[in-house]
């Protein structure tokens, strides 16, 4: 194997492909990145740990087609540190030689025949705008669980129905739901899958700038695939039955408030400065205003008053400040609506373009459990 490639092209491809390599692989070859130089002038880099696969294809000047398996993290560090000149990579016996300008590195190879075959990418189910995908993922994954002992809740439930995709995530304390439109391969396509939140976040971060992302999801299959801009990645789905969380959203609410999103964010951040770990901030809504309070007894205390409209009876509730701020940060509208059935029941957060306009409940909803606030 012998090829030449631009330093930036190599560094970017290796860094992206090696990003999911396990820090403690079960077998040494899983820490490697597979380099395949083809006679058609393409260099393909691959990684696979039996859960997540990544494959990147870039243009290269290939003198001798061939393949080699080397340490992914080491090659990524070396390629990023090389001078900004063309890089020549060749195999010399059991070693790979990397030459760039006056720099020369020799890396040990691992046996290519021991490397597992990457899973095939299923047929494309549909495609979605990278920007729309990234926004939807960022809004929903904030509510996904982080506790690996509850793997079901670390996933995002993806429901595909024709040209509409619904994303749902919960960690038992809040629930986020986002609906987004896409271009299905078939107008009657219907799929339901549970995809790891970290997989979706990674795809949104690394593939969304390619313009359009192809999504591949086989009915009753066990993997999901994403492809964009010469890069593709697959991941095993989360196994299990997701709880029926949709029914947590109330069919109707008796009270709602509308407040400036930016002002509420800033006020909540200030008031939360005195909230001890795991203590809530209280929101008391009355005609024309909301009072935010935190701290009690002999501890530090804070309060702030904001303008707010109220439809219905006065209501007071309390939330985990970080969960409240996560929901507010997911909105991209000037105003936030909080809808209530009762002060002790979950509140539904949605966005509004104007103080007296309709809310965007059909696009994004964030359900937040209240916390008891000691008097």
């Amino acid at each position: 194997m012998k090829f030449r490639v631009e330093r930036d092209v190599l560094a970017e491809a290796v860094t992206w492909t090696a990003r999911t390599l396990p820090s403690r692989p079960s077998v040494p070859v899983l820490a490697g990145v597979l380099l395949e130089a083809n006679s058609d002038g393409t260099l393909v880099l691959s990684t696979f740990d039996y859960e997540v696969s990544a494959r990147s294809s870039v243009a290269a000047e290939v003198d001798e087609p061939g393949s080699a398996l080397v340490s992914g993290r080491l090659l990524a560090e070396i390629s990023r540190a090389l001078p900004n000149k063309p890089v020549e990579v060749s195999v010399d016996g059991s070693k790979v030689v990397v030459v760039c300008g006056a720099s020369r590195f020799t890396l040990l190879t691992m046996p290519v025949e021991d490397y597992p075959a990457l899973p095939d990418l299923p047929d494309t189910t549909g495609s979605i705008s990278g920007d729309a995908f990234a926004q939807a993922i960022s809004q929903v994954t904030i509510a996904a669980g982080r506790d690996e002992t509850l793997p079901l809740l670390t996933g995002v439930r993806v429901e595909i129905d024709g040209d509409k995709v619904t994303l749902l995530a919960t960690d038992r304390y809040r629930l986020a739901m986002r609906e987004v439109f896409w271009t299905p391969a078939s107008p009657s396509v219907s799929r339901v899958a549970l995809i790891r939140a970290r997989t979706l976040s990674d795809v949104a971060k690394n593939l969304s700038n390619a313009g359009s992302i192809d999504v591949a999801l086989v009915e009753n299959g066990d993997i999901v695939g994403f492809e964009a801009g010469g890069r593709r990645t697959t991941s095993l789905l989360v196994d299990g039955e997701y709880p029926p969380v949709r029914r947590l959203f109330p069919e109707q609410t008796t009270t709602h408030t509308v407040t400036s999103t930016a002002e509420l964010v800033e006020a909540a951040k200030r008031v939360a400065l005195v909230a001890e770990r795991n203590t809530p901030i209280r929101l008391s809504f009355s005609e024309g205003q909301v009072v935010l309070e935190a701290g009690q007894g002999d501890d530090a205390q804070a309060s702030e008053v904001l303008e707010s409209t109220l439809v219905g009876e006065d209501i007071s509730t309390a939330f985990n400040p970080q969960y409240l701020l996560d929901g507010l940060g997911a909105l991209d509208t000037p105003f936030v609506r909080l809808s209530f059935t009762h002060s002790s029941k979950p509140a539904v957060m949605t966005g509004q373009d104007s103080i007296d306009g309709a809310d965007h409940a059909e696009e994004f909803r964030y359900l937040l459990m209240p916390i008891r606030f000691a008097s």
Side-chain angles (χ1 to χ4, degrees), residues 3 20 22 30 34 49 76 145 189 199 211 221 223 225 235 237 260 326 345 352:
F3 64 85
T20 58
L30 296 185
L34 180 64
D49 65 357
V189 67
T199 295
I223 70 167
S235 175
L237 298 174
S260 163
D326 283 346
K345 297 286 180 69
Q352 284 189 199

Side-chain angles (χ1 to χ4, degrees), residues 4 28 73 150:
R4 277 180 303 281
R73 295 194 189 282
L150 295 170

Side-chain angles (χ1 to χ4, degrees), residues 239-255:
D239 192 28
E241 193 64 36
Y242 204 65
V245 293
R246 271 179 183 264
R247 65 186 186 191
L248 295 175
F249 288 107
E251 291 186 9
Q252 58 184 27
T253 54
T254 55
T255 302

Side-chain angles (χ1 to χ4, degrees), residues 118-137:
L118 268 69
D120 293 328
L121 194 70
D123 290 338
T124 299
T125 311
S127 60
I128 185 170
S129 154
D131 290 342
F133 183 80
Q135 184 194 34
I137 293 306

Side-chain angles (χ1 to χ4, degrees), residues 292-305:
L292 291 83
E293 300 170 280
Q296 55 202 9
D298 296 330
D299 298 329
Q301 297 179 34
S303 66
E304 187 160 338
V305 182

Side-chain angles (χ1 to χ4, degrees), residues 150-220:
L150 295 170
L152 267 183
L153 300 186
T154 65
V156 173
R157 180 177 168 90
V158 179
E159 300 173 354
I160 298 171
D161 184 14
D163 65 351
K164 185 171 75 173
V165 180
T166 303
L167 307 169
L168 292 145
T170 183
D171 60 3
R172 297 181 298 168
Y173 305 106
R174 62 255 180 89
L175 164 64
M177 177 172 137
R178 172 67 201 267
E179 293 182 350
V180 63
F181 288 95
W182 77 331
T183 305
S186 164
S188 60
V189 67
S190 178
R191 298 279 191 278
V192 175
L194 192 54
I195 304 174
R196 289 180 177 84
R198 67 172 184 267
T199 295
L200 290 171
S201 295
D202 177 74
V203 170
K205 176 183 176 184
N206 290 289
L207 295 184
S208 60
N209 58 3
S212 179
I213 300 173
D214 291 337
V215 183
L217 197 57
V218 176
E219 190 168 7
N220 300 319

Side-chain angles (χ1 to χ4, degrees), residues 47-334:
T47 58
F48 184 38
D49 65 357
Y50 292 108
E51 269 195 16
V52 178
S53 79
R55 183 183 176 104
S56 182
S57 179
V58 297
E61 294 178 34
V62 179
D63 292 338
E64 296 176 24
S67 59
L69 182 65
V70 297
S71 166
R73 295 194 189 282
L74 183 56
L75 182 60
E77 289 174 1
I78 289 172
S79 60
R80 288 194 297 265
L82 291 172
N84 192 17
K85 295 179 179 180
V87 183
E88 184 174 283
V89 180
S90 59
V91 172
D92 182 10
S94 62
K95 297 178 180 178
V96 163
V97 180
V98 180
V99 178
C100 180
S103 300
R104 178 186 175 92
F105 291 87
T106 304
L107 285 72
L108 291 176
T109 61
M110 294 179 276
V112 173
E113 59 273 14
D114 291 349
Y115 201 70
L118 268 69
D120 293 328
L121 194 70
D123 290 338
T124 299
T125 311
S127 60
I128 185 170
S129 154
D131 290 342
F133 183 80
Q135 184 194 34
I137 293 306
S138 68
Q139 288 178 309
V140 171
T141 52
I142 54 170
R146 309 286 191 270
D147 186 354
E148 293 295 337
T149 63
L150 295 170
L152 267 183
L153 300 186
T154 65
V156 173
R157 180 177 168 90
V158 179
E159 300 173 354
I160 298 171
D161 184 14
D163 65 351
K164 185 171 75 173
V165 180
T166 303
L167 307 169
L168 292 145
T170 183
D171 60 3
R172 297 181 298 168
Y173 305 106
R174 62 255 180 89
L175 164 64
M177 177 172 137
R178 172 67 201 267
E179 293 182 350
V180 63
F181 288 95
W182 77 331
T183 305
S186 164
S188 60
V189 67
S190 178
R191 298 279 191 278
V192 175
L194 192 54
I195 304 174
R196 289 180 177 84
R198 67 172 184 267
T199 295
L200 290 171
S201 295
D202 177 74
V203 170
K205 176 183 176 184
N206 290 289
L207 295 184
S208 60
N209 58 3
S212 179
I213 300 173
D214 291 337
V215 183
L217 197 57
V218 176
E219 190 168 7
N220 300 319
D222 62 353
I223 70 167
V224 61
F226 301 92
E227 186 169 17
R231 295 174 175 177
R232 65 165 62 171
T233 184
T234 66
S235 175
L236 283 177
L237 298 174
V238 181
D239 192 28
E241 193 64 36
Y242 204 65
V245 293
R246 271 179 183 264
R247 65 186 186 191
L248 295 175
F249 288 107
E251 291 186 9
Q252 58 184 27
T253 54
T254 55
T255 302
H256 76 261
T257 67
V258 181
T259 316
S260 163
T261 307
E263 289 180 11
L264 187 55
V265 166
E266 292 305 314
K269 284 180 179 178
R270 283 189 288 269
V271 172
L273 291 173
V274 302
E276 298 291 332
R277 182 177 173 83
N278 296 326
T279 62
I281 61 174
R282 181 172 182 153
L283 287 80
S284 301
F285 293 93
S286 55
E287 182 59 42
Q289 69 175 31
V290 55
V291 180
L292 291 83
E293 300 170 280
Q296 55 202 9
D298 296 330
D299 298 329
Q301 297 179 34
S303 66
E304 187 160 338
V305 182
L306 291 179
E307 284 188 20
S308 179
T309 64
L310 172 68
V311 177
E313 297 182 355
D314 292 4
I315 194 163
S316 293
T317 188
F319 298 121
N320 174 303
Q322 190 54 56
Y323 294 171
L324 174 64
L325 288 167
D326 283 346
L328 292 169
L331 297 176
D332 58 357
T333 53

